[in-house]
Amino acid sequence: MSMLNSEDAVAQAVADAKGPLTIRGGGTRAVGRPVTGQVLDVSGLSGVTLYEPGALTIVAQAGTPVAEIEATLAAENQRLAFEPYDLTGMLGTKGATTIGGVIATNASGPRRIMAGAARDFALGVRFVDGAGHVIKNGGRVMKNVTGYDLVKLMSGSWGTLGVLTEISLKVLPAVEATETLVIDGLTSAGAVAAMAQALGSPFEVSGAAWTDGAVWLRIEGFGSSVAYRADALTALLSKHGDVMRVSDADWTTIRDATPLHGMDSVWRASVKPSDAPALVAALPDGCTTLLDWGGGLVWIGQSGGNAAATHGTIQSTVATLGGHATLIKAPNAVRASVPVFQPEQPGVAALSTALRARFDPRGILNPGLMAA
């Protein structure tokens, strides 16, 4: 199917579809199980359609590259507060990350612990359901009555409930200054303890991660405030080790899990932060881990001959801790046989099935992606 460049064209294509459709925007988030079906290319739905800096809102078509939106915001000294991660380096994809892909996967970076997730900044959406109907929900401003909050429902649905065509977002002012505190030589348990203390303090930490034995803690805001909070947090955390202060730390390393690039398999697991050390300790030999969100997000990478054999072990280990794991990258043979997402409890699975039946009665949108 050729690239579509209007919402009407998307609606017509879905209505006319005789079989499964694989929804593709920038093509940068093709994770997990291969989805069979005719490609529905929505990258032609591109462009910022409304931007009101004074109202802190922006509206863009779903195929708009995130880089274009960020450049538009930067010109007005504003930003996307949820810091969407970029999988192109990890997956080796060449396309441009689009705002539709970000919202469809609820892609949220290190700042989520303070600012919230992508879904928390989505004010409204337009999408085409599995029957070819155009649906609008939410609005273009922060003060609106939405009724059923389909905005949150579409965020993180991975295109299984509808094809996003337009998104309205709340944005925030850019920060004036940033400083990162680094404590080296910590185990995962020591790291989680240090991050918990920092996040429980009144000093507004906007990033808390652990990579290669070092804790990273980010402070953002006005220059004088950042300096004061960095001083106070350094003193507070001194018992955990020597605290180094870095003004130019590259947080895209954490956001995009750069230490795991080039590995054969990558999982993205969510657990209670206090359970992260237990998960790290229980992982098979040869795993590389990176903790974000104070330990609530665990990136797990593997390479070598044992990677395929231990995928089930990783998912079951996460399940015993009450968390869930998403398969981000794996060889094709593994992708075809391992659940992309943590299998749901029966009650939740029944709700998910009912929702998909309501929004996509023919079961044609990214079929099989949510299946075990």
Side-chain angles (χ1 to χ4, degrees):
M1 184 177 294
S2 60
M3 182 177 66
L4 305 174
N5 56 18
S6 73
E7 184 178 73
D8 288 342
V10 173
Q12 191 65 54
V14 174
D16 292 344
K18 304 303 182 184
L21 296 173
T22 297
I23 304 166
R24 185 173 67 194
T28 64
R29 299 177 186 275
V31 306
R33 177 186 311 278
V35 180
T36 58
Q38 186 176 18
V39 172
L40 187 73
D41 187 344
V42 297
S43 59
L45 277 71
S46 183
V48 173
T49 55
L50 175 69
Y51 179 34
E52 297 184 356
L56 295 175
T57 57
I58 191 168
V59 182
Q61 294 188 76
T64 308
V66 171
E68 179 181 330
I69 293 174
E70 290 178 331
T72 300
L73 295 176
E76 296 291 338
N77 201 33
Q78 295 182 342
R79 60 187 169 123
L80 294 174
F82 53 89
E83 203 172 4
Y85 58 79
D86 183 349
L87 294 180
T88 54
M90 180 179 292
L91 300 178
T93 50
K94 303 299 183 183
T97 298
T98 64
I99 194 62
V102 166
I103 297 302
T105 60
N106 194 33
S108 312
R111 202 176 287 115
R112 177 174 183 169
I113 56 173
M114 184 184 77
R119 62 164 53 96
D120 299 311
F121 288 85
L123 302 173
V125 293
R126 292 178 66 95
F127 64 94
V128 176
D129 71 8
H133 301 138
V134 176
I135 298 174
K136 175 185 176 182
N137 186 249
R140 294 186 168 196
V141 295
M142 282 180 275
K143 293 182 179 179
N144 65 81
V145 178
T146 62
Y148 291 111
D149 196 352
L150 302 185
V151 179
K152 299 293 191 294
L153 187 65
M154 293 298 294
S155 301
S157 65
W158 289 78
T160 61
L161 301 179
V163 184
L164 288 168
T165 58
E166 184 183 82
I167 297 108
S168 308
L169 293 164
K170 173 187 175 182
V171 300
L172 291 182
V175 296
E176 179 181 292
T178 302
E179 189 153 1
T180 300
L181 308 185
V182 178
I183 309 173
D184 207 352
L186 295 181
T187 64
S188 59
V192 168
M195 291 188 289
Q197 185 171 18
L199 291 169
S201 76
F203 304 122
E204 294 184 355
V205 173
S206 69
W210 176 71
T211 179
D212 196 23
V215 162
W216 293 28
L217 299 165
R218 182 175 60 188
I219 303 172
E220 299 176 307
F222 294 111
S224 58
S225 172
V226 168
Y228 167 77
R229 288 183 284 140
D231 286 342
L233 200 55
T234 296
L236 180 67
L237 299 175
S238 60
K239 68 179 182 181
H240 296 282
D242 294 334
V243 181
M244 297 176 288
R245 293 168 60 163
V246 182
S247 59
D248 58 352
D250 183 6
W251 275 82
T252 62
T253 296
I254 305 297
R255 185 195 72 185
D256 303 336
T258 301
L260 277 62
H261 289 189
M263 293 192 170
D264 296 335
S265 304
V266 178
W267 287 88
R268 193 172 184 269
S270 294
V271 295
K272 290 187 299 183
S274 57
D275 286 338
L279 174 57
V280 172
L283 291 173
D285 292 340
C287 289
T288 298
T289 54
L290 183 154
L291 306 186
D292 199 357
W293 302 351
L297 174 62
V298 185
W299 289 94
I300 305 166
Q302 288 181 292
S303 286
N306 70 332
T310 56
H311 275 87
T313 301
I314 289 175
Q315 204 164 50
S316 62
T317 300
V318 172
T320 61
L321 296 171
H324 60 87
T326 301
L327 180 60
I328 299 295
K329 177 184 180 183
N332 286 339
V334 175
R335 287 164 44 125
S337 60
V338 174
V340 177
F341 301 95
Q342 196 80 34
E344 296 171 330
Q345 294 297 318
V348 176
L351 287 173
S352 297
T353 299
L355 281 170
R356 288 197 292 274
R358 174 62 183 85
F359 285 92
D360 180 20
R362 294 183 291 165
I364 64 171
L365 302 179
N366 283 351
L369 183 61
M370 295 296 188

